[in-house]
Amino acid sequence: MTYYEYIAEQVNAGLWTKTQAVFGRNAQALDLYFRIYSLVRKYEPEKSYGYASRIAANEAIYSQIGGVFA
């Protein structure tokens, strides 16, 4: 089981916020990585060449991961 799959199960069960306490300081990073990977899976499921640039350049996606589009 990957971290993504584990966190997805926790999110679906409504337990992720409580489970984050187990990860300590790593919880914020794991949550951010989970949100980013969820968006990648949604918008670029095939991860074709250049997908990272397209994700970073998309204002709607960038704002969902906590960025401010300048």
Side-chain angles (χ1 to χ4, degrees):
M1 175 179 278
T2 65
Y3 282 117
Y4 177 81
E5 293 167 340
Y6 174 76
I7 294 171
E9 284 185 8
Q10 295 297 307
V11 169
N12 291 337
L15 301 171
W16 177 231
T17 54
K18 294 176 183 177
T19 305
Q20 287 184 40
V22 174
F23 293 105
R25 294 203 270 161
N26 295 327
Q28 282 183 314
L30 283 172
D31 188 54
L32 177 62
Y33 297 154
F34 175 76
R35 288 187 292 134
I36 291 170
Y37 192 62
S38 295
L39 292 168
V40 169
R41 288 176 53 128
K42 179 179 178 181
Y43 291 102
E44 295 283 343
E46 274 127 49
K47 299 183 201 96
S48 58
Y49 182 79
Y51 78 93
S53 299
R54 288 190 300 275
I55 291 284
N58 187 320
E59 183 178 349
I61 295 170
Y62 194 70
S63 66
Q64 289 181 46
I65 59 174
V68 178
F69 203 77

